[in-house]
Amino acid sequence: MQVVPKRWDGTFSAPRYGFGPGRSAHQAVKAAPEYIAAGYRGVGDLHVEKFFERVDPDQRMAKSAERVSAQRLWKLIRALLRAGVREGGRGSPGDEGTPQGGPLSPLLSNIVRDEFERELERRGQRFARYADDRNLYVRSRRAGGRGRKSLTRFIGTKLKLRVNEAKSAGGRPWERKFGGFSFTHDRKPKRRIAPQALPRFRERARELTRRRRGISRERRAKERAQYLQGWIGYFGKCQTPAVLHSLEEWTRRR
């Protein structure tokens, strides 16, 4: 099954950066300020309710069949879709949704989402997605409101899915986050660490530097180094280094 995503990856919409080889969250985050600089200074998202659990089984089959020419491969995919899951010794049929955690989940997710993203491209909608995180960029709130209602209908009628209104929201790019980042309010926006990510960093750093954890100093130092390296490896791509310097000083004091 590892061969299939490589064959199909080039058939998906261009602004999709997740669930595929050579695709990363940083690519999606880099695309966003280009839209903002071009005048699309409104942003929103449409959160699909329980996507993996409610993807229509016939739709999965049909969309998969369109991309499979080898009959044996198609039979294997169909068997995996119908196999269901087993939890706690009990099995459940695969008559609804997509099995999470399996080799097909990311691929089938892209197949179903691709239909929606092709519709966005047909409408001239600017967007970027990494995995389940997608932002739509518009020129005005009025345009965003009209587009949101129309796209909600499309998701319900064509994809047989439901938009979670409570989790769907809109605003300005510097008020929202995308892939853990936000953007400055400049003509040429810069990537900055989303404000929500900073308290989480400090909370985790406090846990890792707490002395009364019942583990050796060597293990504590190793865990701390692994976390900091991973965090900097991701958020070090921000374009506001003053925040990183401030966090570095705070971490050293800890």
Side-chain angles (χ1 to χ4, degrees), residues 188-207:
K188 291 186 177 181
K190 295 180 180 179
R191 293 185 303 276
R192 64 187 178 107
I193 302 171
Q196 299 92 324
L198 301 178
R200 288 196 291 267
F201 169 82
R202 290 192 174 94
E203 181 181 358
R204 181 58 177 153
R206 288 190 183 98
E207 293 177 0

Side-chain angles (χ1 to χ4, degrees), residues 176-195:
R176 306 279 296 164
K177 66 181 180 71
F178 181 48
F181 290 88
S182 185
F183 306 96
T184 62
H185 189 184
D186 300 315
R187 290 187 64 184
K188 291 186 177 181
K190 295 180 180 179
R191 293 185 303 276
R192 64 187 178 107
I193 302 171

Side-chain angles (χ1 to χ4, degrees), residues 15 35 40 116-127 136-139 143 147 151:
Y35 298 140
Y40 295 86
F116 175 59
E117 288 165 1
R118 294 293 180 188
E119 177 65 15
L120 292 178
E121 291 177 336
R122 188 186 68 79
R123 299 183 182 199
Q125 175 74 60
R126 272 64 175 176
F127 71 96
L136 310 178
Y137 295 88
V138 294
R139 290 191 181 274
L151 290 172

Side-chain angles (χ1 to χ4, degrees), residues 12 34 133 140 162 182 191 207 224 248-249 254:
F12 295 121
E34 297 176 2
D133 198 359
S140 68
R162 186 184 304 165
S182 185
R191 293 185 303 276
E207 293 177 0
R224 183 172 62 245
E248 182 182 15
E249 292 177 359
R254 288 292 303 178

Side-chain angles (χ1 to χ4, degrees), residues 11-31:
T11 68
F12 295 121
S13 61
R16 188 269 308 171
Y17 299 96
F19 294 155
R23 305 295 183 105
S24 71
H26 287 144
Q27 290 174 326
V29 173
K30 185 178 179 181

Side-chain angles (χ1 to χ4, degrees), residues 213-250:
R213 292 182 60 209
I215 61 175
S216 66
R217 180 193 296 180
E218 291 77 13
R219 181 179 171 185
R220 192 165 63 240
K222 183 178 180 180
E223 290 181 357
R224 183 172 62 245
Q226 288 176 338
Y227 176 73
L228 292 175
Q229 287 172 4
W231 199 89
I232 291 296
Y234 186 79
F235 286 105
K237 300 288 185 179
C238 76
Q239 296 172 307
T240 51
V243 178
L244 294 177
H245 295 327
S246 175
L247 289 176
E248 182 182 15
E249 292 177 359
W250 181 86

Side-chain angles (χ1 to χ4, degrees), residues 12-59:
F12 295 121
S13 61
R16 188 269 308 171
Y17 299 96
F19 294 155
R23 305 295 183 105
S24 71
H26 287 144
Q27 290 174 326
V29 173
K30 185 178 179 181
E34 297 176 2
Y35 298 140
I36 302 169
Y40 295 86
R41 301 177 79 80
V43 63
D45 61 12
L46 291 172
H47 184 87
V48 176
E49 187 175 279
K50 297 183 178 180
F51 175 83
F52 281 98
E53 292 90 339
R54 292 185 174 174
V55 173
D56 183 77
D58 295 329
Q59 182 185 38

